[in-house]
Amino acid sequence: MRNNPERLAWTVLLAAFAAFVALAIGIPAAISSVINQSTVGAAAYVRLQAGRIQTYSPPATERDARVVSLEGRDVEEGSTIIVDPDASSQGLLTISPAGAREPLLSALAYSGARIQIWRATSPRFTISRARDEVMLIMSAGRAQFTVRPREARGASVTILTPYGYFNLGEGIFTVEVAAGE
């Protein structure tokens, strides 16, 4: 290469052009990815309606569950809500996207219900095209889910049961998981 300076110049020029193209494509793609993939946890709140309900978060077990009062309490991803099998027990779970006044999802859990918050997130940035995402695992009991319409962005609400899953749109839905059915 030292004998041919023209060849060296073309090699440097082509390497610089390749670096320019990589940066011109890579930087906007990385920024777009960060904007559309960054999430924050949604606010989840559980409140006693009647009877008795308990919650626990991993790594705690059901034996470590705390009783929820009428004032309610915040819960996080991974938390499990257990409604006492007593016929009069009911609990209300609400999940609101970060910074929203209205909850995206309200779940009225009836006696014997067991619901785990698997995922509850919303996009970190308001310009994101990503949707609010809620995924609940319902392993027992009956619950009524109310999914409210969203003006700013869409939402993905999924209920997983031992027998299948449901993707809920806007509206009111009742899901019941009975043993042996």
Side-chain angles (χ1 to χ4, degrees), residues 2 7 16 79 102 112 131 134 148 152 169 174 176 178:
R2 291 184 183 202
R7 184 174 179 190
S79 296
E102 293 283 325
R131 299 160 37 138
V134 175
R148 290 182 175 75
T174 300
E176 184 169 359

Side-chain angles (χ1 to χ4, degrees), residues 33-51:
S33 177
V34 167
I35 288 173
N36 288 317
Q37 301 298 323
S38 295
T39 60
V40 292
Y45 193 78
V46 65
R47 184 177 317 137
L48 175 68
Q49 297 295 304

